[in-house]
């Protein structure tokens, strides 16, 4: 039980935020229950009067009282539900916001080791289970507890002996709920996992369809699915054996209470120990009690599931942001000129599997440097270290001669334009996607950025221009269009450091050359504008294409995480190493593309 | 929310006669079980309403004896005159009824669950069977995830309806009818009070449903937006971070989260009003019964027991009505699911074996493409007038750039798709006249993605024939140089493979799929080589295995490896859907055309790395 409590304690900050409505809601709940339990008592008084002497006037009085009680209860119940359930929805709202806030602080490495589906499951199913625990779970358990206690108190006052007798089945009800609840839960879990293996089976079958058809294996697939299908049915029926008996069993045990009232209560009436009205009231109270008895099992289940889910959410919220500002951050560093230096940089995502080893490289501000090398040589990793998406060891990456960690994270990123390898656009308008890093940018700026990125003529073809929606619900852009949009997005920020990570691979070479030309022009125009702080932009090009990089000031060839060679295009061709070989292959490739 | 999601969320009408009839078709084989369940439901409803009646008898006969109208019931006359004895008798009857109720309720639940399970078993079976027959072009447009949902969640929704709503609907109705009958028999005027509440409850329920339907729709939309926002931002978090969008994204998220919260608070409001209203109406009935019935008791025209029992019935009257409302929801989602399921089942199978299939002559093995045209869509030709012949026992290598149509050739030969024009023949017989499995069984196939199934290494090798003896499995593995690797594993051939063999390297997976193709000992071999790079040692293993695979068979190989190409009897160069060059390696090199360029481009590195590697011991 202790771990459950410590997990539940993590809800306290959220509950505390709504302390007043929670306490008010619970207070209303108590009054509500008291009014509720007065109803059978009014009935008792009326029946007692009817079985002795009564005037029509008094009878009307009882009926009126009954009505008054239920109207009051109606109002109370309305507020009780409104307040308590709304609090649970607000806590859900807060938790959901907090989850996103935490996710926004976590580094790339977290998202690399955690599956999206897993994060989504926590933010959806688990959150829902916690909501159920805080909402209906809390409300009904409080309700059941207060109701149980007040009914017990009233019945004891009417007749203690009879109360003890009719509550005889109560422990059995609770035992039955526990016994069945546990077993049903176990069988249900097993069925859930079978259900997902059924789904996995179908999924695997459909994903491997070609192999199955090629090997004419359909019949055997059907047979093996059939086996699983049969097993699923068998297990379900095993569950029904229990769950099908559970509800009738509760009905039976609760019915037994009514029999006891009739039996012992009837005798008590005959012995004039209790009145007829008390007899009727006992029946009515039993009716009221049946709900909390049944609900307890359900509530226990809600709390069990809710606390397991809460633990999973808490695990996410407890994740420490690996990359964040520290007390050592120098808040005065708000601009970036553009010099980048790697000093003895080694990097590994997992210990023992180095991605980069002893990289030493200084890129002067304003230079255009190209990174080339085979897949897996560490180019992209190197690029992600500059905007601190991943964290390099201290002192190994320097910007403008200062350790990168001295810069406030937001300021550093503000001056870096990254166009990643896998283009990621959001389901929004083209305008919003381009202005992603500068939401305040005017239409002119967006148009200019799109123009530089070579996107203008495409946009002109879209019926809605920059207001065209892209992504899931909108237009599907081609790979090249997506990449150029991502480029425009980076260009619009006018960054001091621009990183193109294989960012134009889906754009044909002629267009690419034109775009690079424009980027260069743009850079030179900046130089003529004294109001721009940085005279030239540092550009880092990662590419497989020689045509992209041949004009770079410096070409760095990476191989297995190390710098294999560096120099200008001419120098490297002269050396006849990896780069020269790459160049030769690409010339052939271009030749082949011209065949039609 | 994508259109697909909307498709999943549409809730149509709760009852559709056409769908219902089709659905009941699956229940029909179990009509006797359903009849039994209905009968038990009927009997069960009697046991459910007996309590207040017994109270009435006890009160009027013993506790507060009355001679007033209706007090003398049928049961009352058979009971003992002595009060204590009589109460005991009533108690015994009550217990007996409870026990009977327990048995009947269980019998009803179990038999309907049984019917639900059996009929859903049948439906799942049909769905899966249909999926195994549908042509591949169907799967090009229908994402796997959605099809999985059909077989799983949608069927489950139907089960829910059959097992929990179909007969339970009768149960609730019977209880309602019985309560009405008993109340009317007690005193029809008194019963009118309760019945008068019915239209009020109906109006309140209708208003409530309309209110929550709208908020539930808003909730669904908001939730879908929340989820897709979250999904998108989790996937693109580094973009958010690099562009300093954290704060703004947070605010956007907060806004749609707020829409969700607001929609819920409307729904909560509706609930908070509805439940008290129902309870007020129920208690209003109780108060009126107490007042009107009380007056009659005072006048001596009605017994106290009847007033008490009518009050108790009035309190029990409203539960089944609310239950029926819940069944309505179940019915509604079941209808939506069945519509989707039947749509899938109704998708016609357009590619299947002919009614009177020809059989293939044994022994030869010539493959012929005769002016074949093919497009996946409309006039978007992937293959344009392709003709070539592969002589029996020879190996034909196909090379070309990505998108040249190489893989399509293989898909057509295996008749995953039908050609639009021209024909494909094996030993002069059009493959469309052959039985599908007969055709495909003749091929040993290695596809580009070496797809492995969950199971063991052995079960993946004996894919074509599960009865293949262990020795043959081992021999196939031996032949393709997989045995060394397998022998190093602690469980050898019984090593379990999970999630498409993620525990194996690409090269190892490829070797397993080679062994699989070889184990079938097929007369034809089709091989779509994977392009992914493997280490030198595996590369040598594969090279050697390929040689063994092609010996003595007619083979079509989409080649990326030099060793494969050079050994081929004929090489076809595909370019943009057309066979541009054909001939042997040397002939094609001399042409100095596309092949020559491709060769220099793709195979130069390979050649270098292979030559520098040590030769394996064979």
């Amino acid at each position: 039980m202790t771990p459950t409590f410590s997990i539940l304690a993590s809800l306290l900050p959220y509950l505390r935020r709504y302390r007043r409505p929670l306490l008010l809601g619970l207070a209303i709940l108590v009054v509500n229950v008291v009014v509720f339990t007065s109803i059978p008592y009014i009935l008792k008084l009326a029946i007692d009067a009817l079985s002795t002497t009564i005037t029509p006037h008094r009878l009307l009085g009882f009926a009126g009282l009954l009505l008054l009680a239920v109207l009051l209860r109606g109002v109370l119940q309305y507020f009780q539900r409104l307040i308590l359930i709304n609090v649970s929805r607000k806590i859900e709202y807060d938790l959901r916001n907090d989850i996103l806030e935490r996710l926004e602080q976590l580094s790339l490495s977290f998202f690399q080791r955690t599956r999206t589906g897993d994060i989504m499951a926590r933010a959806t199913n688990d959150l829902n289970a916690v909501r159920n625990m805080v909402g209906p779970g809390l409300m009904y358990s409080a309700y059941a507890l207060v109701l149980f206690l007040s009914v017990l108190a009233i019945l004891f006052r009417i007749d203690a002996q009879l109360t003890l007798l009719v509550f005889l089945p109560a422990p059995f009800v609770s035992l039955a709920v526990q016994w069945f609840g546990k077993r049903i839960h176990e069988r249900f879990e097993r069925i859930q996992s079978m259900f997902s293996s059924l789904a996995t089976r179908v999924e695997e079958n459909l994903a491997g369809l070609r192999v199955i058809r090629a090997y004419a294996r359909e019949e055997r697939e059907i047979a093996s699915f059939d086996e699983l299908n049969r097993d699923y049915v068998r297990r379900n029926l095993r569950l029904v054996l229990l769950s099908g008996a559970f509800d009738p069993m509760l009905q039976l045990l609760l019915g037994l209470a009514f029999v006891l009232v009739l039996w012992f209560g009837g005798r008590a009436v005959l012995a004039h120990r209790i009145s007829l009205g008390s007899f009727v009231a006992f029946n009515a109270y039993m009716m009221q009690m049946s709900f909390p008895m049944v609900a307890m099992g359900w509530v226990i289940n809600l709390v069990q599931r809710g606390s397991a889910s809460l633990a999973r959410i808490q695990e996410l919220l407890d994740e420490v942001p690996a990359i964040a500002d520290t007390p050592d951050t120098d808040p005065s560093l708000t601009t970036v000129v553009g010099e980048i230096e790697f000093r003895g940089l080694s990097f590994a995502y997992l210990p023992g599997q180095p991605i980069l080893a002893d990289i030493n490289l200084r890129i002067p501000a304003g230079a255009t440097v190209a990174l080339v090398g085979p897949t897996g040589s560490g180019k992209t990793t190197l690029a992600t270290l500059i905007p601190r998406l991943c964290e390099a060891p201290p002192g190994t990456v320097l910007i403008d001669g200062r350790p990168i960690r001295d810069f406030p994270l937001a300021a550093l990123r503000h001056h870096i334009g990254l166009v990643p390898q896998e283009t990621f656009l959001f389901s929004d308008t083209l305008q919003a996607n381009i202005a992603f890093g500068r939401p305040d940018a005017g239409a002119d700026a967006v148009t200019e950025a799109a123009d530089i990125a070579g996107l203008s003529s495409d946009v002109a073809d879209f019926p809605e221009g920059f207001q065209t929606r892209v992504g899931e619900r909108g237009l599907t852009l081609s790979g090249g269009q997506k990449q150029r949009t991502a480029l425009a997005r980076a260009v619009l920020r006018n960054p001091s450091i621009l990183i193109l990570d294989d960012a134009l691979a889906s754009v044909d070479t002629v267009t690419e050359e034109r775009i690079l030309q424009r980027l260069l022009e743009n850079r030179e125009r900046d130089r003529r504008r004294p109001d721009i702080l940085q005279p030239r932009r540092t550009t880092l090009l990662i590419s497989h294409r020689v045509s992209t990089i041949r004009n770079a000031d410096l070409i760095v060839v990476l191989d297995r995480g190390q710098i294999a060679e560096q120099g200008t295009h001419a120098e490297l061709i002269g050396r006849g190493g990896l780069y020269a070989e790459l160049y030769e292959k690409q010339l052939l490739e271009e030749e082949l593309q011209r065949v039609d | 929310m994508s259109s697909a999601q909307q498709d999943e969320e549409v809730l149509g009408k709760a009852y559709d006669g056409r769908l219902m009839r089709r659905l009941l078709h699956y229940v029909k084989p179990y009509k006797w079980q359903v009849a039994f369940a209905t009968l038990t439901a009927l009997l069960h409803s009697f046991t459910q309403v007996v309590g207040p009646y017994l109270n009435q008898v006890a009160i009027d006969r013993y506790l507060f004896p009355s001679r007033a109208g209706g007090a003398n019931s049928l049961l009352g006359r058979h009971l003992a005159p002595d009060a204590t004895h009589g109460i005991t008798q009533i108690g015994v009857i009550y217990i007996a009824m409870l026990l009977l109720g327990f048995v009947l309720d269980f019998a009803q639940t179990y038999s309907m669950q049984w019917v639900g399970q059996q009929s859903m078993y049948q439906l799942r079976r049909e769905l899966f069977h249909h999926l195994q027959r549908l042509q591949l072009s169907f799967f090009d447009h229908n994402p796997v995830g959605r099809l999985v949902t059909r077989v799983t969640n949608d069927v489950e929704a139907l089960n829910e309806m059959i097992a929990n709503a179909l007969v339970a609907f009768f149960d609730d109705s019977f209880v309602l009818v019985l309560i009405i009958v008993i109340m009317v028999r007690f005193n029809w005027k008194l019963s009118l009070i309760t019945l008068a509440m019915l239209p009020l409850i109906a109006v309140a329920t209708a208003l409530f449903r309309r209110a929550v339907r709208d908020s539930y729709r808003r909730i669904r939309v908001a939730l879908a937006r929340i989820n897709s926002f979250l999904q998108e931002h989790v996937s693109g978090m580094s973009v958010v971070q690099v562009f300093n969008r954290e704060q703004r994204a947070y605010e956007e998220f907060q806004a749609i989260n707020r829409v969700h919260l607001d929609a819920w608070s409307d729904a909560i409001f509706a609930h908070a009003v509805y439940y008290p209203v129902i309870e007020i109406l129920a208690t209003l009935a109780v108060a009126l019964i107490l007042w009107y019935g009380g007056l009659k008791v005072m006048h001596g025209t009605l017994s106290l027991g009847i007033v008490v029992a009518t009050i108790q019935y009035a309190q029990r009257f409203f539960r089944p009505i609310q239950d029926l409302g819940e069944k309505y929801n179940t019915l509604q989602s079941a209808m939506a699911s069945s519509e989707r399921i039947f749509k899938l089942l109704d998708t016609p199978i357009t590619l299947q074996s002919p009614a009177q299939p020809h059989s293939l002559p044994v022994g030869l093995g010539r493959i012929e493409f005769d002016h074949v045209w093919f497009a996946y869509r409309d006039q978007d030709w992937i293959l344009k007038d392709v003709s070539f012949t592969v002589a029996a026992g020879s190996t034909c290598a196909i090379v070309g750039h990505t998108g040249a149509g190489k893989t399509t050739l293989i898909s057509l030969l295996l008749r995953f798709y039908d050609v639009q024009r021209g024909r494909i023949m094996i030993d002069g017989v059009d493959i469309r006249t052959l039985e599908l499995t007969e055709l495909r069984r003749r091929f040993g196939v290695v596809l580009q993605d070496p797809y492995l199934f969950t199971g063991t290494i052995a079960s993946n090798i004996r894919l074509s024939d599960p009865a293949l003896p262990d020795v043959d499995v081992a021999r196939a593995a031996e032949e393709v140089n997989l045995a060394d690797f397998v022998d190093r594993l602690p469980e050898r051939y019984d090593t379990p493979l999970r999630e498409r063999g993620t525990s194996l390297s690409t090269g190892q997976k490829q070797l397993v799929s080679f062994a699989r193709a070889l184990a079938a000992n097929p007369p034809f071999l089709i091989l779509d080589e994977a392009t992914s790079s493997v280490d030198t040692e595996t590369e040598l293993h594969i090279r050697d295995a390929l040689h063994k695979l092609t010996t003595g068979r007619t083979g079509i190989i989409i080649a990326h490896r030099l060793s494969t190409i050079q050994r081929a009897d004929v090489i076809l160069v595909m370019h943009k859907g057309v066979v541009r060059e054909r001939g042997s390696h040397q002939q094609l090199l001399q042409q100095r055309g596309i092949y020559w360029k491709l060769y220099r481009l793709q195979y130069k590195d390979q050649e270098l790395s292979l030559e520098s590697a040590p030769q394996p011991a064979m």
Side-chain angles (χ1 to χ4, degrees), chain B residues 379-393:
Chain B
Q379 300 288 306
D380 227 346
W381 298 113
I382 301 295
L383 298 180
K384 289 174 250 181
D385 198 29
V386 171
S387 295
F388 64 88
T389 305
V390 184

Side-chain angles (χ1 to χ4, degrees), chain A residues 73 204 213 219 427 596, chain B residues 133-134 232 279 454 580:
Chain A
R73 165 166 159 82
E204 191 180 61
R213 300 275 168 109
E219 286 310 320
S427 316
D596 53 23
Chain B
R133 296 277 176 272
L134 275 169
E232 194 168 85
E279 206 176 304
T454 306
R580 287 288 297 263

Side-chain angles (χ1 to χ4, degrees), chain A residues 81-108:
Chain A
R81 181 176 280 270
L82 206 62
I83 294 171
L84 289 178
I85 301 294
N86 265 321
V87 165
S88 75
R89 288 288 166 193
K90 281 180 187 146
I91 289 178
E92 175 195 12
Y93 168 84
D94 291 345
L95 267 170
R96 190 180 277 129
N97 284 337
D98 289 356
I99 289 173
L100 181 80
E101 191 180 23
R102 176 47 41 119
L103 287 174
E104 284 183 335
Q105 294 163 345
L106 295 175
S107 68
L108 193 59

Side-chain angles (χ1 to χ4, degrees), chain A residues 73 89 96-97 104 106 203-205 213 215 219 226 229-230 267 410 427 436 493 591 596, chain B residues 88 121 124 131-134 232 241-242 244-246 257 279 440 445 454 500 580 597:
Chain A
R73 165 166 159 82
R89 288 288 166 193
R96 190 180 277 129
N97 284 337
E104 284 183 335
L106 295 175
E203 208 235 288
E204 191 180 61
N205 171 278
R213 300 275 168 109
Y215 280 83
E219 286 310 320
D226 199 49
N229 196 359
R230 242 179 243 283
R267 282 158 187 261
S427 316
F436 192 71
R493 302 190 102 194
E591 224 177 293
D596 53 23
Chain B
T88 310
Y121 161 78
R124 267 195 299 267
L131 286 172
Q132 300 309 301
R133 296 277 176 272
L134 275 169
E232 194 168 85
Q241 290 173 345
V242 168
N244 302 78
R245 276 286 285 227
E246 292 97 330
N257 201 0
E279 206 176 304
R440 291 173 184 163
V445 183
T454 306
R500 298 173 200 172
R580 287 288 297 263
K597 287 183 178 126

Side-chain angles (χ1 to χ4, degrees), chain B residues 410-469:
Chain B
I410 286 181
S411 296
L412 292 179
L413 183 56
L414 288 168
R415 225 187 138 208
F416 286 160
Y417 303 87
D418 271 334
V419 299
Q420 266 99 342
R421 287 184 226 163
R423 56 195 173 147
I424 301 170
M425 291 178 295
I426 291 179
D427 293 330
V429 181
D430 190 327
I431 58 168
R432 280 171 295 192
T433 65
L434 297 172
E435 220 247 316
L436 270 177
T437 47
E438 161 87 9
L439 166 74
R440 291 173 184 163
R441 248 183 241 280
R442 297 193 164 236
F443 291 94
V445 183
V446 179
L447 296 178
Q448 205 165 11
D449 172 22
Y451 196 95
L452 299 190
F453 294 90
T454 306
T456 60
I457 292 182
S459 76
N460 267 288
I461 294 177
R462 48 165 73 101
L463 198 63
S464 55
D465 178 12
L468 201 71

